[in-house]
Amino acid sequence: MFTLSVPPRHAVAVHSEVAIPAGHFAMGDPFDEGYPNDGETPVHPVELSAFSIDTTAVSNAAFAAFVDATGYRTESEQYGTSAVFHLAVAANKPDILGTATGTPWWLNVRGADWAHPAGPLSHWQDIPDHPVTQVSHSDALAYCAWAGRALPTEAQWEYAARGGLEQARYPWGNELHGENSDGTPLHNCNIWQGTFPAENTCDDGYLTTAPVDSFEPNGFGLYQTSGNVWEWCADWFLPKYYKSCLAKGAVMDPPGPTIGRGKVMRGGSYLCHDSYCNRYRLAARSANSPESASGNLGFRTVSA
């Protein structure tokens, strides 16, 4: 592990954010569609104080401003490699160092980092309005410290992501697709179409990331709380946590467990598909080790 210093706050980062009023909601999966080991059930009541949250994931341009102001080096830059999806790699063959165990569609690429999200032959300046990726949980916290922000708790994230729709499957309702005027499917988010992981037909317009304000926002004005990139949350991940919350009754501003097997990720990504990773539902949750980074993992922030 690297010991990362938190950069000083040199400037006030400008964030497009929306105020979320205090309220309560039923947190968890009412359809019982989640993976048993993810702990999406039981549904339990949660009460939240008011907070403000970014309308979009943090973009490449916003993260670049942080790096320019502080000289911060991400964990991927320090390690020298990071994970890139096999159809997206932009690197010479010698820089492709191997595959991830059990997930051969992920390649370990030398020179992949936030500024070169697909490998050393790519650059963030080509996609400044796309979400920053290849950032670890520690990297996200360092950005937050500089910007005077914080990562959302898992409860804040789900409440805001729902956009006022009580116990809906997606930010727009319960059906994945709408219908265009010509009868073709209307895509509401950036996920995988085709046969995973070999062929993405890109019916939604994107092989990998989309600009952070693509598709229609939810009822609170948040973009892409389903698909595009996973988003780090503040909480540790513990599958049985919801059971302990239910036992307590209505929990006020739940901070998450004190221990866990990784940090919570929410929202799914462009790689999610119902045949492999049906986690672009609002209740879906997953986790990764805090030092991990990949080409489909970013974050959004809340007011500290």
Side-chain angles (χ1 to χ4, degrees):
M1 279 289 296
F2 290 95
T3 300
L4 300 180
S5 60
V6 176
R9 185 179 177 187
H10 291 294
V12 176
V14 177
H15 281 246
S16 173
E17 62 179 352
V18 61
I20 306 296
H24 58 86
F25 76 113
M27 186 172 181
D29 173 24
F31 302 98
D32 197 23
E33 296 173 326
Y35 300 97
N37 291 335
D38 287 354
E40 293 181 26
T41 58
V43 175
H44 56 286
V46 169
E47 297 182 5
L48 287 173
S49 304
F51 62 100
S52 294
I53 189 169
D54 292 341
T55 58
T56 72
V58 173
S59 70
N60 281 315
F63 198 81
F66 157 62
V67 171
D68 287 345
T70 64
Y72 181 81
R73 294 185 70 236
T74 61
E75 292 198 276
S76 291
E77 289 172 286
Q78 295 183 63
Y79 292 139
T81 69
S82 198
V84 179
F85 184 64
H86 73 114
L87 296 182
V89 173
N92 293 317
K93 191 172 181 179
D95 289 324
I96 301 172
L97 305 180
T99 62
T101 302
T103 53
W105 47 88
W106 282 113
L107 302 180
N108 187 28
V109 178
R110 180 167 44 222
D113 54 49
W114 80 269
H116 310 90
L121 301 183
S122 64
H123 202 281
W124 74 266
Q125 290 180 337
D126 295 329
I127 47 172
D129 57 346
H130 286 226
V132 67
T133 60
Q134 305 291 8
V135 286
S136 69
H137 196 266
S138 296
D139 298 333
L141 290 178
Y143 175 92
C144 288
W146 169 75
R149 311 284 295 177
L151 291 178
T153 65
E154 187 176 15
Q156 287 176 324
W157 191 96
E158 185 172 324
Y159 184 54
R162 290 188 174 279
L165 291 183
E166 185 72 17
Q167 294 191 293
R169 185 177 280 118
Y170 307 111
W172 53 85
N174 288 329
E175 300 301 321
L176 180 58
H177 296 114
E179 186 174 299
N180 292 307
S181 57
D182 61 0
T184 57
L186 171 65
H187 292 275
N188 295 302
C189 62
N190 176 19
I191 56 175
W192 189 272
Q193 296 94 47
T195 304
F196 185 86
E199 180 192 14
N200 187 345
T201 59
C202 301
D203 292 341
D204 59 16
Y206 303 97
L207 173 64
T208 59
T209 58
V212 294
D213 58 356
S214 301
F215 305 97
E216 291 296 314
N218 71 8
F220 288 155
L222 275 66
Y223 290 86
Q224 299 190 101
T225 54
S226 284
N228 209 29
V229 293
W230 286 102
E231 298 179 10
W232 286 117
C233 291
D235 306 34
W236 287 103
F237 179 78
L238 195 66
K240 64 182 181 182
Y241 182 64
Y242 283 12
K243 293 181 181 179
S244 65
C245 289
L246 182 64
K248 296 175 183 176
V251 180
M252 184 72 185
D253 295 326
T258 57
I259 59 172
R261 55 180 178 87
K263 290 290 188 176
V264 170
M265 307 186 308
R266 282 302 204 112
S269 81
Y270 59 81
L271 294 181
C272 282
H273 186 270
D274 59 8
S275 69
Y276 162 66
C277 179
N278 184 18
R279 292 188 178 94
Y280 44 90
R281 296 166 294 103
L282 288 170
R285 55 203 302 257
S286 191
N288 214 332
S289 56
E291 71 275 10
S292 293
S294 65
N296 68 336
L297 176 54
F299 66 103
R300 76 177 70 210
T301 71
V302 296
S303 294

